[in-house]
Amino acid sequence: MKLGMVGLGRMGMNMTRRLIRGGHNVVVWNRTQEKVKQMEEEGAIGSATIEDLVMKLDAPRIVWIMLPAGKLVDEQVKKLKNLLDKGDIIIEGGNSFYEGDIRHYNDLKERGIHYIDAGVSGGVWGLKVGYCTMIGGDKDVFEYIEPIIKTLAPDEGYLYCGGPGAGHFVKMVHNGIEYAMMEAYGEGFEMLKASPYGKDLDFSKVSHLWNQGSVIRSWLLELLEDAFGSDPDLEKIEGFVDDSGEARWTVKKAVDLGVALPLISLSLFKRFQSRDKNLFSDRVQAALRNEFGGHKVKVSSAKGKE
């Protein structure tokens, strides 16, 4: 299929590469044209402007947006609304709030333009292993773009979740669970480090061990094995753990629904606390965010406080 990709950041660029390798024709645009030129060398069709990107697509046009959630996404959706025609499709693949998806869906529907929300997980590893994708919107539109989703995802790695907003709602909860899992691993290794055995334990080997049949085995532990392997005490990383918004939305929505989320809520608040201290558990989480998502870490100027 032929589609446009708006945004060539950590996710958008590798998604484009995976789509090209899967036989799709991808027209790309990015604010900095250097990335556009780079992708042209790898088989993409470059465009100088959003208008240029739309002109190079065939009807029904498909435009995938991979930009930071919020103002940038809203601006591009508004611009595309005036450039696309009835029957064209916008796919929002960032971490947008699901209520914004519903607003965009209803607004674009008045013009006959379809809107799909796609929650995408996979980070910097998605190019190799695929992107787990959660889709919301009209089912017939999902079925039309399914070849694109199938190329991006690993086997059994995508799901039509329901109407507008459903994809990003499921992704929002997914990220809330991720926060709690990372906090649990961080606290566990903090406990090991503080114990009488901490000085003798190789945390990389412990991470590897726990992935051999243990009930807490996971991909996160594989990433921790690598992180501890290159920096045994994570001394190069400051325990500053940022949050990108999804867990805040999850907790706020839980209040609206009257659903108790004690672990996810506490893991979010713990990230706020990390900005004042440099705990080992926070360095574990900072290392994990860097390993799976390529998120920047703050380089520590001194050994962390335990």
Side-chain angles (χ1 to χ4, degrees), residues 102-135:
I102 297 172
R103 172 170 50 85
H104 289 316
Y105 173 90
N106 289 328
D107 183 44
L108 292 167
K109 189 174 183 179
E110 295 178 0
R111 298 283 293 271
I113 300 170
H114 303 295
Y115 180 90
I116 292 288
D117 52 282
V120 182
S121 181
V124 296
W125 292 86
L127 175 61
K128 180 179 180 180
V129 302
Y131 298 89
C132 178
T133 309
M134 297 140 266
I135 303 98

mmCIF file of all heavy atoms in Angstrom, residues 102-135:
data_model
loop_
_atom_site.group_PDB
_atom_site.id
_atom_site.type_symbol
_atom_site.label_atom_id
_atom_site.label_comp_id
_atom_site.label_asym_id
_atom_site.label_seq_id
_atom_site.Cartn_x
_atom_site.Cartn_y
_atom_site.Cartn_z
ATOM 1 N N ILE A 102 -11.511 11.042 19.962
ATOM 2 C CA ILE A 102 -12.953 11.121 19.720
ATOM 3 C C ILE A 102 -13.316 12.465 19.116
ATOM 4 O O ILE A 102 -14.126 12.557 18.177
ATOM 5 C CB ILE A 102 -13.723 10.874 21.037
ATOM 6 C CG1 ILE A 102 -13.448 9.459 21.557
ATOM 7 C CG2 ILE A 102 -15.225 11.089 20.827
ATOM 8 C CD1 ILE A 102 -14.003 9.186 22.938
ATOM 9 N N ARG A 103 -12.681 13.516 19.623
ATOM 10 C CA ARG A 103 -12.931 14.864 19.084
ATOM 11 C C ARG A 103 -12.503 14.936 17.624
ATOM 12 O O ARG A 103 -13.245 15.452 16.773
ATOM 13 C CB ARG A 103 -12.180 15.894 19.936
ATOM 14 C CG ARG A 103 -12.201 17.312 19.381
ATOM 15 C CD ARG A 103 -11.655 18.290 20.410
ATOM 16 N NE ARG A 103 -10.378 17.863 20.962
ATOM 17 C CZ ARG A 103 -9.208 18.108 20.398
ATOM 18 N NH1 ARG A 103 -9.151 18.744 19.233
ATOM 19 N NH2 ARG A 103 -8.086 17.716 20.983
ATOM 20 N N HIS A 104 -11.303 14.445 17.315
ATOM 21 C CA HIS A 104 -10.821 14.469 15.925
ATOM 22 C C HIS A 104 -11.715 13.616 15.019
ATOM 23 O O HIS A 104 -12.020 14.013 13.887
ATOM 24 C CB HIS A 104 -9.385 13.952 15.855
ATOM 25 C CG HIS A 104 -8.368 14.888 16.435
ATOM 26 N ND1 HIS A 104 -8.376 16.236 16.194
ATOM 27 C CD2 HIS A 104 -7.289 14.648 17.248
ATOM 28 C CE1 HIS A 104 -7.357 16.803 16.834
ATOM 29 N NE2 HIS A 104 -6.692 15.863 17.468
ATOM 30 N N TYR A 105 -12.104 12.448 15.501
ATOM 31 C CA TYR A 105 -12.950 11.545 14.717
ATOM 32 C C TYR A 105 -14.244 12.245 14.309
ATOM 33 O O TYR A 105 -14.634 12.221 13.136
ATOM 34 C CB TYR A 105 -13.245 10.289 15.540
ATOM 35 C CG TYR A 105 -14.252 9.348 14.909
ATOM 36 C CD1 TYR A 105 -13.841 8.331 14.059
ATOM 37 C CD2 TYR A 105 -15.618 9.481 15.182
ATOM 38 C CE1 TYR A 105 -14.770 7.472 13.476
ATOM 39 C CE2 TYR A 105 -16.547 8.629 14.607
ATOM 40 C CZ TYR A 105 -16.121 7.622 13.755
ATOM 41 O OH TYR A 105 -17.044 6.779 13.181
ATOM 42 N N ASN A 106 -14.903 12.866 15.281
ATOM 43 C CA ASN A 106 -16.192 13.522 15.007
ATOM 44 C C ASN A 106 -16.022 14.736 14.100
ATOM 45 O O ASN A 106 -16.852 14.997 13.218
ATOM 46 C CB ASN A 106 -16.863 13.928 16.316
ATOM 47 C CG ASN A 106 -17.364 12.725 17.102
ATOM 48 O OD1 ASN A 106 -17.765 11.720 16.519
ATOM 49 N ND2 ASN A 106 -17.343 12.823 18.421
ATOM 50 N N ASP A 107 -14.939 15.479 14.298
ATOM 51 C CA ASP A 107 -14.692 16.662 13.488
ATOM 52 C C ASP A 107 -14.428 16.289 12.032
ATOM 53 O O ASP A 107 -14.970 16.894 11.097
ATOM 54 C CB ASP A 107 -13.507 17.436 14.078
ATOM 55 C CG ASP A 107 -13.234 18.728 13.334
ATOM 56 O OD1 ASP A 107 -14.203 19.455 13.024
ATOM 57 O OD2 ASP A 107 -12.051 19.029 13.060
ATOM 58 N N LEU A 108 -13.593 15.270 11.832
ATOM 59 C CA LEU A 108 -13.238 14.850 10.476
ATOM 60 C C LEU A 108 -14.395 14.140 9.777
ATOM 61 O O LEU A 108 -14.521 14.199 8.546
ATOM 62 C CB LEU A 108 -12.013 13.931 10.517
ATOM 63 C CG LEU A 108 -10.698 14.601 10.941
ATOM 64 C CD1 LEU A 108 -9.651 13.543 11.256
ATOM 65 C CD2 LEU A 108 -10.202 15.553 9.877
ATOM 66 N N LYS A 109 -15.243 13.491 10.559
ATOM 67 C CA LYS A 109 -16.372 12.768 9.984
ATOM 68 C C LYS A 109 -17.304 13.709 9.217
ATOM 69 O O LYS A 109 -17.902 13.321 8.208
ATOM 70 C CB LYS A 109 -17.141 12.042 11.093
ATOM 71 C CG LYS A 109 -18.205 11.080 10.590
ATOM 72 C CD LYS A 109 -18.829 10.302 11.738
ATOM 73 C CE LYS A 109 -19.832 9.284 11.223
ATOM 74 N NZ LYS A 109 -20.432 8.506 12.350
ATOM 75 N N GLU A 110 -17.382 14.953 9.688
ATOM 76 C CA GLU A 110 -18.226 15.938 9.006
ATOM 77 C C GLU A 110 -17.745 16.200 7.585
ATOM 78 O O GLU A 110 -18.528 16.605 6.714
ATOM 79 C CB GLU A 110 -18.244 17.245 9.802
ATOM 80 C CG GLU A 110 -18.887 17.128 11.175
ATOM 81 C CD GLU A 110 -18.839 18.430 11.942
ATOM 82 O OE1 GLU A 110 -18.297 19.424 11.396
ATOM 83 O OE2 GLU A 110 -19.335 18.462 13.084
ATOM 84 N N ARG A 111 -16.451 15.981 7.347
ATOM 85 C CA ARG A 111 -15.877 16.170 6.013
ATOM 86 C C ARG A 111 -15.745 14.860 5.250
ATOM 87 O O ARG A 111 -15.216 14.847 4.142
ATOM 88 C CB ARG A 111 -14.493 16.829 6.143
ATOM 89 C CG ARG A 111 -14.493 18.210 6.781
ATOM 90 C CD ARG A 111 -14.959 19.262 5.786
ATOM 91 N NE ARG A 111 -14.001 19.409 4.700
ATOM 92 C CZ ARG A 111 -12.963 20.252 4.738
ATOM 93 N NH1 ARG A 111 -12.752 21.018 5.790
ATOM 94 N NH2 ARG A 111 -12.150 20.331 3.708
ATOM 95 N N GLY A 112 -16.158 13.769 5.875
ATOM 96 C CA GLY A 112 -16.050 12.466 5.219
ATOM 97 C C GLY A 112 -14.659 11.875 5.284
ATOM 98 O O GLY A 112 -14.345 10.928 4.558
ATOM 99 N N ILE A 113 -13.804 12.431 6.136
ATOM 100 C CA ILE A 113 -12.430 11.925 6.303
ATOM 101 C C ILE A 113 -12.411 10.958 7.479
ATOM 102 O O ILE A 113 -12.954 11.249 8.552
ATOM 103 C CB ILE A 113 -11.447 13.087 6.542
ATOM 104 C CG1 ILE A 113 -11.470 14.055 5.347
ATOM 105 C CG2 ILE A 113 -10.034 12.557 6.776
ATOM 106 C CD1 ILE A 113 -10.710 15.346 5.599
ATOM 107 N N HIS A 114 -11.804 9.801 7.294
ATOM 108 C CA HIS A 114 -11.749 8.779 8.337
ATOM 109 C C HIS A 114 -10.576 9.035 9.293
ATOM 110 O O HIS A 114 -9.521 9.527 8.882
ATOM 111 C CB HIS A 114 -11.597 7.392 7.714
ATOM 112 C CG HIS A 114 -12.678 7.049 6.747
ATOM 113 N ND1 HIS A 114 -13.992 6.898 7.115
ATOM 114 C CD2 HIS A 114 -12.634 6.827 5.395
ATOM 115 C CE1 HIS A 114 -14.718 6.598 6.062
ATOM 116 N NE2 HIS A 114 -13.923 6.561 4.996
ATOM 117 N N TYR A 115 -10.778 8.658 10.550
ATOM 118 C CA TYR A 115 -9.732 8.841 11.566
ATOM 119 C C TYR A 115 -9.577 7.540 12.349
ATOM 120 O O TYR A 115 -10.551 6.975 12.847
ATOM 121 C CB TYR A 115 -10.112 9.971 12.513
ATOM 122 C CG TYR A 115 -9.097 10.255 13.604
ATOM 123 C CD1 TYR A 115 -8.072 11.181 13.401
ATOM 124 C CD2 TYR A 115 -9.156 9.615 14.836
ATOM 125 C CE1 TYR A 115 -7.143 11.462 14.400
ATOM 126 C CE2 TYR A 115 -8.228 9.873 15.833
ATOM 127 C CZ TYR A 115 -7.230 10.794 15.610
ATOM 128 O OH TYR A 115 -6.321 11.056 16.603
ATOM 129 N N ILE A 116 -8.340 7.085 12.441
ATOM 130 C CA ILE A 116 -7.997 5.876 13.193
ATOM 131 C C ILE A 116 -6.979 6.239 14.263
ATOM 132 O O ILE A 116 -6.006 6.953 13.993
ATOM 133 C CB ILE A 116 -7.383 4.805 12.257
ATOM 134 C CG1 ILE A 116 -8.428 4.263 11.284
ATOM 135 C CG2 ILE A 116 -6.750 3.671 13.069
ATOM 136 C CD1 ILE A 116 -9.467 3.360 11.901
ATOM 137 N N ASP A 117 -7.209 5.780 15.497
ATOM 138 C CA ASP A 117 -6.189 5.962 16.536
ATOM 139 C C ASP A 117 -5.463 4.630 16.730
ATOM 140 O O ASP A 117 -6.088 3.574 16.854
ATOM 141 C CB ASP A 117 -6.798 6.450 17.853
ATOM 142 C CG ASP A 117 -7.956 5.597 18.351
ATOM 143 O OD1 ASP A 117 -9.075 5.740 17.818
ATOM 144 O OD2 ASP A 117 -7.743 4.782 19.277
ATOM 145 N N ALA A 118 -4.149 4.693 16.731
ATOM 146 C CA ALA A 118 -3.322 3.489 16.835
ATOM 147 C C ALA A 118 -2.313 3.667 17.961
ATOM 148 O O ALA A 118 -1.378 4.464 17.847
ATOM 149 C CB ALA A 118 -2.601 3.209 15.516
ATOM 150 N N GLY A 119 -2.516 2.946 19.042
ATOM 151 C CA GLY A 119 -1.531 2.943 20.124
ATOM 152 C C GLY A 119 -0.414 1.986 19.765
ATOM 153 O O GLY A 119 -0.658 0.802 19.514
ATOM 154 N N VAL A 120 0.802 2.496 19.707
ATOM 155 C CA VAL A 120 1.940 1.703 19.226
ATOM 156 C C VAL A 120 2.965 1.527 20.334
ATOM 157 O O VAL A 120 3.410 2.502 20.952
ATOM 158 C CB VAL A 120 2.606 2.386 18.007
ATOM 159 C CG1 VAL A 120 3.761 1.538 17.493
ATOM 160 C CG2 VAL A 120 1.591 2.634 16.902
ATOM 161 N N SER A 121 3.350 0.300 20.602
ATOM 162 C CA SER A 121 4.382 0.001 21.592
ATOM 163 C C SER A 121 5.475 -0.825 20.938
ATOM 164 O O SER A 121 5.201 -1.731 20.150
ATOM 165 C CB SER A 121 3.785 -0.769 22.774
ATOM 166 O OG SER A 121 4.773 -1.057 23.749
ATOM 167 N N GLY A 122 6.693 -0.524 21.282
ATOM 168 C CA GLY A 122 7.816 -1.266 20.698
ATOM 169 C C GLY A 122 9.122 -0.526 20.824
ATOM 170 O O GLY A 122 10.197 -1.116 20.775
ATOM 171 N N GLY A 123 9.015 0.804 20.997
ATOM 172 C CA GLY A 123 10.220 1.603 21.208
ATOM 173 C C GLY A 123 11.248 1.437 20.106
ATOM 174 O O GLY A 123 10.923 1.181 18.944
ATOM 175 N N VAL A 124 12.512 1.560 20.488
ATOM 176 C CA VAL A 124 13.589 1.493 19.503
ATOM 177 C C VAL A 124 13.818 0.074 18.985
ATOM 178 O O VAL A 124 14.571 -0.132 18.035
ATOM 179 C CB VAL A 124 14.903 2.048 20.106
ATOM 180 C CG1 VAL A 124 14.767 3.519 20.441
ATOM 181 C CG2 VAL A 124 15.317 1.253 21.338
ATOM 182 N N TRP A 125 13.171 -0.918 19.606
ATOM 183 C CA TRP A 125 13.335 -2.308 19.175
ATOM 184 C C TRP A 125 12.290 -2.718 18.138
ATOM 185 O O TRP A 125 12.333 -3.831 17.607
ATOM 186 C CB TRP A 125 13.243 -3.237 20.390
ATOM 187 C CG TRP A 125 14.390 -3.073 21.324
ATOM 188 C CD1 TRP A 125 14.492 -2.155 22.342
ATOM 189 C CD2 TRP A 125 15.612 -3.810 21.336
ATOM 190 N NE1 TRP A 125 15.688 -2.286 22.982
ATOM 191 C CE2 TRP A 125 16.407 -3.297 22.393
ATOM 192 C CE3 TRP A 125 16.113 -4.855 20.564
ATOM 193 C CZ2 TRP A 125 17.677 -3.800 22.684
ATOM 194 C CZ3 TRP A 125 17.366 -5.355 20.857
ATOM 195 C CH2 TRP A 125 18.135 -4.821 21.897
ATOM 196 N N GLY A 126 11.333 -1.856 17.871
ATOM 197 C CA GLY A 126 10.235 -2.206 16.984
ATOM 198 C C GLY A 126 10.661 -2.564 15.575
ATOM 199 O O GLY A 126 10.036 -3.408 14.933
ATOM 200 N N LEU A 127 11.699 -1.919 15.073
ATOM 201 C CA LEU A 127 12.172 -2.210 13.717
ATOM 202 C C LEU A 127 12.507 -3.690 13.570
ATOM 203 O O LEU A 127 12.180 -4.330 12.570
ATOM 204 C CB LEU A 127 13.400 -1.355 13.388
ATOM 205 C CG LEU A 127 14.077 -1.641 12.047
ATOM 206 C CD1 LEU A 127 13.119 -1.402 10.886
ATOM 207 C CD2 LEU A 127 15.332 -0.785 11.890
ATOM 208 N N LYS A 128 13.140 -4.245 14.593
ATOM 209 C CA LYS A 128 13.576 -5.641 14.541
ATOM 210 C C LYS A 128 12.467 -6.618 14.908
ATOM 211 O O LYS A 128 12.251 -7.610 14.197
ATOM 212 C CB LYS A 128 14.771 -5.840 15.485
ATOM 213 C CG LYS A 128 15.308 -7.256 15.515
ATOM 214 C CD LYS A 128 16.496 -7.365 16.461
ATOM 215 C CE LYS A 128 17.033 -8.802 16.500
ATOM 216 N NZ LYS A 128 18.195 -8.925 17.433
ATOM 217 N N VAL A 129 11.745 -6.346 16.003
ATOM 218 C CA VAL A 129 10.790 -7.335 16.521
ATOM 219 C C VAL A 129 9.342 -6.999 16.196
ATOM 220 O O VAL A 129 8.451 -7.831 16.388
ATOM 221 C CB VAL A 129 10.959 -7.518 18.042
ATOM 222 C CG1 VAL A 129 12.365 -7.949 18.383
ATOM 223 C CG2 VAL A 129 10.599 -6.238 18.801
ATOM 224 N N GLY A 130 9.080 -5.790 15.712
ATOM 225 C CA GLY A 130 7.719 -5.395 15.382
ATOM 226 C C GLY A 130 7.093 -4.516 16.444
ATOM 227 O O GLY A 130 7.587 -4.425 17.573
ATOM 228 N N TYR A 131 6.001 -3.860 16.075
ATOM 229 C CA TYR A 131 5.316 -2.913 16.953
ATOM 230 C C TYR A 131 3.955 -3.473 17.368
ATOM 231 O O TYR A 131 3.086 -3.694 16.532
ATOM 232 C CB TYR A 131 5.114 -1.576 16.238
ATOM 233 C CG TYR A 131 6.401 -0.895 15.848
ATOM 234 C CD1 TYR A 131 6.999 -1.150 14.611
ATOM 235 C CD2 TYR A 131 7.029 -0.015 16.714
ATOM 236 C CE1 TYR A 131 8.193 -0.531 14.254
ATOM 237 C CE2 TYR A 131 8.223 0.611 16.365
ATOM 238 C CZ TYR A 131 8.793 0.347 15.141
ATOM 239 O OH TYR A 131 9.978 0.958 14.781
ATOM 240 N N CYS A 132 3.785 -3.706 18.657
ATOM 241 C CA CYS A 132 2.490 -4.101 19.184
ATOM 242 C C CYS A 132 1.537 -2.916 18.993
ATOM 243 O O CYS A 132 1.822 -1.807 19.446
ATOM 244 C CB CYS A 132 2.623 -4.450 20.667
ATOM 245 S SG CYS A 132 1.071 -4.897 21.462
ATOM 246 N N THR A 133 0.418 -3.139 18.311
ATOM 247 C CA THR A 133 -0.436 -2.029 17.903
ATOM 248 C C THR A 133 -1.888 -2.265 18.317
ATOM 249 O O THR A 133 -2.452 -3.331 18.073
ATOM 250 C CB THR A 133 -0.363 -1.827 16.380
ATOM 251 O OG1 THR A 133 1.022 -1.742 15.979
ATOM 252 C CG2 THR A 133 -1.072 -0.546 15.970
ATOM 253 N N MET A 134 -2.477 -1.238 18.933
ATOM 254 C CA MET A 134 -3.859 -1.261 19.417
ATOM 255 C C MET A 134 -4.653 -0.223 18.634
ATOM 256 O O MET A 134 -4.293 0.952 18.649
ATOM 257 C CB MET A 134 -3.862 -0.955 20.914
ATOM 258 C CG MET A 134 -3.131 -2.000 21.758
ATOM 259 S SD MET A 134 -2.131 -1.328 23.131
ATOM 260 C CE MET A 134 -0.500 -1.213 22.354
ATOM 261 N N ILE A 135 -5.721 -0.652 17.949
ATOM 262 C CA ILE A 135 -6.390 0.209 16.981
ATOM 263 C C ILE A 135 -7.825 0.521 17.393
ATOM 264 O O ILE A 135 -8.567 -0.357 17.829
ATOM 265 C CB ILE A 135 -6.410 -0.453 15.577
ATOM 266 C CG1 ILE A 135 -4.985 -0.774 15.102
ATOM 267 C CG2 ILE A 135 -7.086 0.451 14.563
ATOM 268 C CD1 ILE A 135 -4.555 -2.171 15.323
#
